[in-house]
Amino acid sequence: MEGKVFFDFLDDEKITQAYLEGEKRNEISVYLGSFLPAENSEKGKSHDDELVMWRTYGKDENGNEAAGCSIVLSCEFFIHKNKQPLTKNSKPEIEKVNSNLAVIKEEYSKHKINDEDLLNVIYLEIHDKQKYIRNDPQKKIKEALDELKSQLKKMITLRNGRNTKREFKEYIENTIFKQLSEISYLFKSADYIYENEVRVIKYVSRDSDSIKFREIKEPNAPRKRFYIESNNEILPYIRKIYLGPKVENHQQWSLFLDFEIRQRAKEILKMDSPPFKIDPSVIQILKSECKFQ
C-alpha cells in the first residue's frame, strides 16, 4: 500500500489514471530508507528500544522478530545543505506543479544526505469524505496539496484538448507520473503517526547496476530482497547498537562488535589521509531491556 494513500487523499480518478498511464511508459523502481527518531522531544518517548519497533523492524536475516539489532545514529549523519533554486520551465502549468511540489518537500525537508533528501513522512487520516493531515499544524501542506490538485486538473484539461497530439498527451502523463512519484511515498496512514518516521527515497531504473539483492528465507516471500546502498559512511556516526531481546549469545555479539569497531578505528588511524575518525568509546553496545514475549 506504499504510496497509495496519497492518491486516496487527492480522490480524483482522472489524476490517478493519468499517473498510471505515465507509469506504463516509465520503468523505475522505488527504494525507501526509513529512519525513526531515537527521542521524540514533543511526546517524551523513545523509539530505540520499544516493543512495537522490535515486532515490526528488529528482525534477523531469517525474519525472526526481535532477533536483530537497532542502530542509533548521531544527527550529524544527516548533513544539512541548502536546496538549489528550481529552474524555470517555459510551460506555466508544469512550472506551477513543480512549485507546489517544492512547497510540500521544503516544509518537511530537514537535511540532505549528499544527493538524498531526508524528509518527514506526512500522515493522512481519511474517513469517507473527511480528510485530515495530522502533522500539518500550519496548514501549509494542505494548501499546497489543494493548489497542486488544481494545477494537475488544468494539465489534464490540456491533455484532453480536441486537437492535442499524442506526443503531447504522453508528455503530460509522463510529467504527472514523474512529479507525483517524488512525493507520493512521503504519505502514510495516520495509523502509523506514532513512528514520526523520516525517509530517504531513491528512484532508479529497473536495469540499474546500483540495484543489489540478498537471499532471504522468509516463508511465502520471494527468494531475493532488492536494495540499493547509500554512499554515506555510517560508522563514524554510530552512537548505540541495541541487540534485540531475542538475540542469542548477546554477550559474545557485544564483544565481537566492540572488537571489530576498534580494529577498524586502528586501520583508519594508520592511513596517510584518514577519511574520518572513529572514537570507539562513544559507541554503546547494549542488550535490549524490552519485555518481549
Side-chain angles (χ1 to χ4, degrees), residues 55 69 134 159 165 173 185 208 213 225 264:
R55 288 198 180 280
C69 70
R134 290 283 298 276
R159 181 200 64 175
K165 294 183 178 179
E173 292 167 350
Y185 289 94
S208 171
F213 68 88
R225 179 162 294 162
R264 182 62 177 149

mmCIF file of all heavy atoms in Angstrom, residues 55 69 134 159 165 173 185 208 213 225 264:
data_model
loop_
_atom_site.group_PDB
_atom_site.id
_atom_site.type_symbol
_atom_site.label_atom_id
_atom_site.label_comp_id
_atom_site.label_asym_id
_atom_site.label_seq_id
_atom_site.Cartn_x
_atom_site.Cartn_y
_atom_site.Cartn_z
ATOM 1 N N ARG A 55 8.902 -5.680 17.105
ATOM 2 C CA ARG A 55 7.974 -6.567 16.393
ATOM 3 C C ARG A 55 7.914 -6.228 14.902
ATOM 4 O O ARG A 55 7.734 -7.096 14.055
ATOM 5 C CB ARG A 55 6.568 -6.452 16.997
ATOM 6 C CG ARG A 55 6.440 -7.087 18.373
ATOM 7 C CD ARG A 55 4.985 -7.334 18.714
ATOM 8 N NE ARG A 55 4.827 -7.947 20.019
ATOM 9 C CZ ARG A 55 4.983 -9.235 20.269
ATOM 10 N NH1 ARG A 55 5.350 -10.049 19.295
ATOM 11 N NH2 ARG A 55 4.804 -9.716 21.486
ATOM 12 N N CYS A 69 19.131 -6.239 15.343
ATOM 13 C CA CYS A 69 19.673 -5.162 16.158
ATOM 14 C C CYS A 69 19.123 -3.822 15.703
ATOM 15 O O CYS A 69 18.561 -3.703 14.611
ATOM 16 C CB CYS A 69 21.194 -5.154 16.124
ATOM 17 S SG CYS A 69 21.898 -4.663 14.534
ATOM 18 N N ARG A 134 -2.527 14.996 9.722
ATOM 19 C CA ARG A 134 -2.361 15.015 11.176
ATOM 20 C C ARG A 134 -1.160 15.838 11.636
ATOM 21 O O ARG A 134 -1.155 16.363 12.748
ATOM 22 C CB ARG A 134 -2.231 13.577 11.698
ATOM 23 C CG ARG A 134 -3.527 12.774 11.598
ATOM 24 C CD ARG A 134 -4.520 13.152 12.677
ATOM 25 N NE ARG A 134 -3.997 12.882 13.988
ATOM 26 C CZ ARG A 134 -4.047 11.700 14.596
ATOM 27 N NH1 ARG A 134 -4.586 10.658 13.985
ATOM 28 N NH2 ARG A 134 -3.550 11.547 15.809
ATOM 29 N N ARG A 159 -4.354 18.109 -21.737
ATOM 30 C CA ARG A 159 -4.133 16.811 -22.379
ATOM 31 C C ARG A 159 -5.354 16.376 -23.171
ATOM 32 O O ARG A 159 -5.243 15.772 -24.248
ATOM 33 C CB ARG A 159 -3.808 15.765 -21.319
ATOM 34 C CG ARG A 159 -3.536 14.377 -21.869
ATOM 35 C CD ARG A 159 -3.706 13.304 -20.816
ATOM 36 N NE ARG A 159 -5.085 13.236 -20.346
ATOM 37 C CZ ARG A 159 -5.535 12.320 -19.496
ATOM 38 N NH1 ARG A 159 -4.714 11.395 -19.021
ATOM 39 N NH2 ARG A 159 -6.795 12.311 -19.113
ATOM 40 N N LYS A 165 -2.006 16.578 -29.799
ATOM 41 C CA LYS A 165 -1.262 15.478 -30.404
ATOM 42 C C LYS A 165 -0.918 14.421 -29.354
ATOM 43 O O LYS A 165 -0.774 14.713 -28.179
ATOM 44 C CB LYS A 165 0.013 15.998 -31.054
ATOM 45 C CG LYS A 165 -0.238 16.906 -32.247
ATOM 46 C CD LYS A 165 1.076 17.330 -32.893
ATOM 47 C CE LYS A 165 0.818 18.197 -34.122
ATOM 48 N NZ LYS A 165 2.094 18.626 -34.752
ATOM 49 N N GLU A 173 1.231 13.098 -19.291
ATOM 50 C CA GLU A 173 1.095 11.932 -18.402
ATOM 51 C C GLU A 173 2.436 11.556 -17.791
ATOM 52 O O GLU A 173 2.509 11.214 -16.596
ATOM 53 C CB GLU A 173 0.498 10.763 -19.176
ATOM 54 C CG GLU A 173 -0.949 10.986 -19.585
ATOM 55 C CD GLU A 173 -1.443 9.988 -20.611
ATOM 56 O OE1 GLU A 173 -0.616 9.221 -21.172
ATOM 57 O OE2 GLU A 173 -2.659 9.968 -20.878
ATOM 58 N N TYR A 185 5.444 8.780 -1.907
ATOM 59 C CA TYR A 185 5.932 7.891 -0.852
ATOM 60 C C TYR A 185 6.256 8.634 0.444
ATOM 61 O O TYR A 185 6.769 8.044 1.388
ATOM 62 C CB TYR A 185 7.148 7.108 -1.345
ATOM 63 C CG TYR A 185 6.773 6.069 -2.370
ATOM 64 C CD1 TYR A 185 6.831 6.362 -3.729
ATOM 65 C CD2 TYR A 185 6.323 4.807 -1.991
ATOM 66 C CE1 TYR A 185 6.462 5.419 -4.683
ATOM 67 C CE2 TYR A 185 5.952 3.864 -2.928
ATOM 68 C CZ TYR A 185 6.024 4.174 -4.275
ATOM 69 O OH TYR A 185 5.654 3.235 -5.208
ATOM 70 N N SER A 208 19.251 -0.782 -13.432
ATOM 71 C CA SER A 208 20.403 -0.078 -12.859
ATOM 72 C C SER A 208 21.364 -1.040 -12.180
ATOM 73 O O SER A 208 20.953 -1.982 -11.486
ATOM 74 C CB SER A 208 19.921 0.966 -11.851
ATOM 75 O OG SER A 208 21.017 1.519 -11.138
ATOM 76 N N PHE A 213 20.963 -7.393 -4.283
ATOM 77 C CA PHE A 213 19.978 -8.246 -3.629
ATOM 78 C C PHE A 213 20.666 -9.168 -2.631
ATOM 79 O O PHE A 213 21.880 -9.379 -2.684
ATOM 80 C CB PHE A 213 19.208 -9.089 -4.653
ATOM 81 C CG PHE A 213 20.033 -10.136 -5.340
ATOM 82 C CD1 PHE A 213 20.183 -11.408 -4.779
ATOM 83 C CD2 PHE A 213 20.663 -9.871 -6.548
ATOM 84 C CE1 PHE A 213 20.954 -12.374 -5.405
ATOM 85 C CE2 PHE A 213 21.427 -10.834 -7.182
ATOM 86 C CZ PHE A 213 21.574 -12.087 -6.613
ATOM 87 N N ARG A 225 15.628 -10.264 -1.898
ATOM 88 C CA ARG A 225 15.167 -8.938 -1.476
ATOM 89 C C ARG A 225 16.118 -7.905 -2.057
ATOM 90 O O ARG A 225 17.333 -7.970 -1.855
ATOM 91 C CB ARG A 225 15.128 -8.820 0.045
ATOM 92 C CG ARG A 225 14.675 -7.436 0.533
ATOM 93 C CD ARG A 225 14.233 -7.495 1.977
ATOM 94 N NE ARG A 225 13.020 -8.315 2.092
ATOM 95 C CZ ARG A 225 12.591 -8.847 3.232
ATOM 96 N NH1 ARG A 225 13.287 -8.669 4.351
ATOM 97 N NH2 ARG A 225 11.482 -9.556 3.263
ATOM 98 N N ARG A 264 38.728 -1.476 13.217
ATOM 99 C CA ARG A 264 38.517 -0.556 12.108
ATOM 100 C C ARG A 264 39.070 0.829 12.444
ATOM 101 O O ARG A 264 39.669 1.489 11.576
ATOM 102 C CB ARG A 264 37.022 -0.477 11.798
ATOM 103 C CG ARG A 264 36.683 0.425 10.623
ATOM 104 C CD ARG A 264 37.309 -0.073 9.350
ATOM 105 N NE ARG A 264 36.926 0.763 8.202
ATOM 106 C CZ ARG A 264 37.679 0.966 7.153
ATOM 107 N NH1 ARG A 264 38.876 0.388 7.061
ATOM 108 N NH2 ARG A 264 37.279 1.720 6.152
#
